[in-house]
Amino acid sequence: MSHPIVQSGPPAGGGAEAGDGMHRRSFLRSSAVLTTGLAALAASLSPLLELKDLTTLERFVQKYYKELTPEEMAKVLQRIERDVEEEYKVRPHVRDLKPMDGVEFVYALNLTRCIGCRKCVHACVAENNQSRTPEIQYIRVLKLPHGSIDMEKAQHDYSPETVPEKGFFYMPVQCQQCKNPPCVKVCPVNATWQEKDGITVIDYDWCIGCRYCAAACPFWARRFNFTKPLIPKERLNPEMAYLGNRPRRQGVMEKCHFCVQRTRAGRYPACLEVCPAGARKFGNILDPESEVSQILSRKRVFIQLKEEMGTSPRFFYYFDV
Amino acid sequence: MNAANKTAAAQGALILCFLALAGYFVLNPGGNGVHVQEVPLVDVAFTNRATARMSAAEVIRTEGDASGQDCYACHERDKPPKLKFNPDQSVVNAKEHMDITMGHGSHNRNNNCFNCHNETNLELLQTRDGKELKLVDSAPLCGSCHGPTYRDWEVGIHGRTSGYWKRDAGPFERQICVSCHDPHSPKFRPWKPAPGPHSMRSVAVQADSGHSTTTPHL
């Protein structure tokens, strides 16, 4: 493409004797302008300089998750392992775990049991490599007065000597893994979607950080990396999954994914494992023997948060009666 | 203004624009590099899988002090200890058993040591229907009086089952009653809560988007 300045000749009707000089002058001027302009342009594009290594470039040109062949996926996983090792000096094991056939996950949480100790919050952070500064947590434990579930009265920054406190109960809230997820519908680039085991996942390499999903979520379950996440390397969990707990970068969304790196390998999620009260139950609702199936068929009082929104959560709260 | 001047002006403006952008990125006044104060790390004790208490079985497994379980180090084989009762029907504890606080049931309804311990062989537990159990095998004892809870526990509804939910993929572990309940005063003990959300997060978010995400918007 020719620079427009080259075309600017002498003014219409200019004398022939002025011709030469004008050309030379305008040529000099135009090249000066061109150089300064290009230099400034280059400088203004300097954020691209951060695409310093091949790795970032590879991520940049990476294909959509669902279109990656197994060979391409293997390459991507290697790239991530390399990246993580470079940044944290810890060699991770990154897998792309797929949903299992005949499995649909459901969570059930016993509000009569929960004592509000917040161990689930921190076990989740440790398992899922959330940023420690600034602090990103997938689970928020609400403290509510007995007698009603009035979210207006919910408190989340309680810090008494011991829990539970008289007259209150506790309600941990995290991604509800809706059957009808509004967050998925609003994503303009399909970077978040629901998989057949019921888990709504995010491809951190595809997310453009527009935060529509966070605005669409009625449960306030999505977390955004406003700044570069900071995780001390000795706290990094090296057992990772692509759609799960691999480290995120600045500008992407994240949220609870039922610990895909554990649950798709047959294990219970981290929040359940640490619950001292045994309030958290997780499993395959398609298996009639699973804990969650037994609970849903035996217990009588269930609450689905914001049921009226019609999102149909796969997360059930219940009381023992 | 003629065409040449117009182009020149446009060029000038563009260059200024680029220069300004360049300056912005170099100086970075927007604060990408703003130094945020680090949030203190959470004590790893809050992320472990410890239960409310150590059962007798767990004490043996971890090679802790199991001397309290060795009844006949102090008692004599054919001399069952005599129970003495306070006016309120609670058992008078020997000073050797001061670590035991009885408080089983809302009106201390299950205080009698021999409701659970076998009188003639202290090393054993005994259910109301006469079944004898080892001290470390107490779940069926609890189950003999707490049928519904026990049945819930057997299928994993009450208590905690961890490990593998997919039973053919790996082992699972089911905590026994006395890992969570002290058999002598079984009410679940109070717990020190882990730190709540750090307020700095709301500050950082406020600076960026004008609203805080730490207030529950439910």
Side-chain angles (χ1 to χ4, degrees):
Chain A
M1 210 180 87
S2 65
H3 203 275
I5 191 113
V6 180
Q7 282 152 17
S8 78
E17 73 281 0
D20 271 337
M22 277 308 273
H23 275 298
R24 230 183 96 253
R25 260 211 340 267
S26 71
F27 173 75
L28 284 177
R29 193 184 65 193
S30 56
S31 23
V33 165
L34 194 62
T35 338
T36 337
L38 282 178
L41 177 64
S44 73
L45 292 177
S46 75
L48 287 179
L49 288 175
E50 279 164 29
L51 292 173
K52 54 183 180 308
D53 44 20
L54 194 64
T55 279
T56 339
L57 198 69
E58 270 174 35
R59 195 190 69 228
F60 207 71
V61 298
Q62 185 177 310
K63 276 208 273 182
Y64 186 45
Y65 174 81
K66 297 183 197 175
E67 288 161 8
L68 289 168
T69 63
E71 298 76 49
E72 288 167 333
M73 192 68 213
K75 280 222 184 76
V76 169
L77 297 180
Q78 276 169 17
R79 189 259 299 160
I80 295 169
E81 288 183 348
R82 208 173 58 217
D83 275 7
V84 172
E85 189 170 13
E86 186 175 314
E87 182 161 2
Y88 297 96
K89 316 287 173 245
V90 179
R91 182 78 189 167
H93 175 221
V94 189
R95 290 189 285 177
D96 174 39
L97 291 160
K98 302 288 187 198
M100 296 179 200
D101 286 327
V103 171
E104 184 185 339
F105 290 125
V106 154
Y107 215 114
L109 199 150
N110 189 337
L111 295 175
T112 339
R113 295 275 167 272
C114 177
I115 55 167
C117 70
R118 293 201 189 98
K119 282 187 82 172
C120 51
V121 175
H122 297 286
C124 170
V125 168
E127 168 69 29
N128 288 305
N129 294 320
Q130 274 111 298
S131 172
R132 308 306 204 274
T133 300
E135 195 176 63
I136 290 194
Q137 298 175 341
Y138 296 166
I139 306 174
R140 201 176 49 246
V141 185
L142 303 181
K143 171 179 144 185
L144 290 150
H146 269 307
S148 74
I149 298 196
D150 181 357
M151 295 303 172
E152 297 295 309
K153 297 202 181 109
Q155 255 178 290
H156 65 127
D157 50 359
Y158 58 89
S159 58
E161 268 306 303
T162 57
V163 284
E165 296 157 276
K166 251 200 157 45
F168 294 94
F169 71 99
Y170 302 85
M171 181 178 223
V173 181
Q174 62 208 75
C175 175
Q176 306 279 302
Q177 308 293 354
C178 307
K179 280 206 174 89
N180 214 346
C183 53
V184 167
K185 278 179 221 146
V186 298
C187 180
V189 294
N190 295 329
T192 184
W193 64 90
Q194 187 176 188
E195 303 228 299
K196 73 171 200 275
D197 56 4
I199 303 180
T200 291
V201 293
I202 301 172
D203 183 348
Y204 313 117
D205 287 348
W206 209 252
C207 175
I208 55 170
C210 70
R211 297 188 269 143
Y212 285 11
C213 55
C217 174
F219 307 103
W220 224 254
R222 287 182 172 249
R223 304 284 180 269
F224 189 66
N225 288 281
F226 282 101
T227 57
K228 185 172 159 35
L230 196 146
I231 310 163
K233 61 174 182 292
E234 65 279 7
R235 296 260 173 139
L236 195 77
N237 172 12
E239 197 54 47
M240 299 174 183
Y242 183 91
L243 295 173
N245 60 343
R246 69 187 167 108
R248 278 72 67 183
R249 63 201 153 81
Q250 179 179 359
V252 299
M253 196 56 78
E254 57 180 291
K255 68 168 185 73
C256 158
H257 40 74
F258 277 177
C259 282
V260 291
Q261 68 281 358
R262 302 173 64 94
T263 55
R264 284 186 180 170
R267 302 169 72 196
Y268 286 105
C271 49
L272 179 151
E273 294 259 341
V274 298
C275 179
R280 291 173 163 271
K281 301 291 159 185
F282 173 89
N284 179 11
I285 194 69
L286 303 180
D287 169 9
E289 301 290 305
S290 71
E291 286 104 332
V292 285
S293 293
Q294 310 246 18
I295 288 166
L296 290 191
S297 62
R298 280 202 214 179
K299 302 287 173 181
R300 275 168 292 160
V301 184
F302 289 99
I303 300 157
Q304 280 177 303
L305 276 187
K306 301 201 171 187
E307 208 176 354
E308 70 284 0
M309 312 262 321
T311 66
S312 191
R314 283 196 184 76
F315 205 105
F316 295 87
Y317 295 93
Y318 67 103
F319 289 101
D320 272 332
V321 261
Chain B
M1 222 203 294
N2 62 30
N5 284 347
K6 258 194 213 152
T7 2
Q11 286 154 7
L14 265 179
I15 290 171
L16 271 180
C17 198
F18 288 151
L19 279 173
L21 268 175
Y24 178 83
F25 288 126
V26 170
L27 298 174
N28 191 15
N32 247 346
V34 165
H35 188 72
V36 277
Q37 202 196 331
E38 273 181 39
V39 177
L41 290 176
V42 167
D43 188 337
V44 286
F46 289 120
T47 64
N48 68 18
R49 297 167 49 210
T51 50
R53 67 185 292 275
M54 292 267 262
S55 64
E58 195 61 14
V59 170
I60 294 170
R61 198 184 65 78
T62 57
E63 292 169 6
D65 176 13
S67 62
Q69 295 173 36
D70 188 5
C71 316
Y72 292 115
C74 306
H75 290 274
E76 279 175 63
R77 284 271 169 197
D78 333 288
K79 246 174 77 190
K82 284 258 167 335
L83 298 188
K84 282 182 244 113
F85 293 94
N86 290 315
D88 67 350
Q89 296 303 307
S90 60
V91 177
V92 180
N93 253 338
K95 69 174 187 318
E96 282 76 5
H97 291 311
M98 278 318 203
D99 54 332
I100 292 173
T101 318
M102 280 311 290
H104 196 134
S106 40
H107 302 283
N108 292 346
R109 285 156 68 189
N110 186 20
N111 268 351
N112 192 314
C113 313
F114 301 126
N115 277 353
C116 300
H117 292 278
N118 183 317
E119 197 166 348
T120 49
N121 184 353
L122 290 176
E123 284 170 339
L124 298 179
L125 299 167
Q126 184 175 331
T127 63
R128 299 298 280 158
D129 53 8
K131 213 186 298 150
E132 291 182 344
L133 302 159
K134 289 210 198 91
L135 199 68
V136 293
D137 185 24
S138 53
L141 167 76
C142 316
S144 69
C145 292
H146 297 289
T149 314
Y150 186 72
R151 285 190 290 279
D152 273 0
W153 175 79
E154 280 185 303
V155 295
I157 294 181
H158 190 87
R160 186 175 85 194
T161 307
S162 50
Y164 284 79
W165 64 264
K166 194 168 153 52
R167 300 288 190 248
D168 53 8
F172 69 96
E173 184 189 8
R174 186 158 289 160
Q175 298 299 335
I176 55 172
C177 319
V178 290
S179 289
C180 297
H181 301 285
D182 180 337
H184 305 123
S185 34
K187 256 193 145 27
F188 204 68
R189 73 161 169 85
W191 211 280
K192 180 177 159 39
H198 201 271
S199 59
M200 201 206 70
R201 195 177 111 226
S202 66
V203 175
V205 172
Q206 244 151 14
D208 191 286
S209 68
H211 69 76
S212 153
T213 53
T214 52
T215 14
H217 279 247
L218 279 161

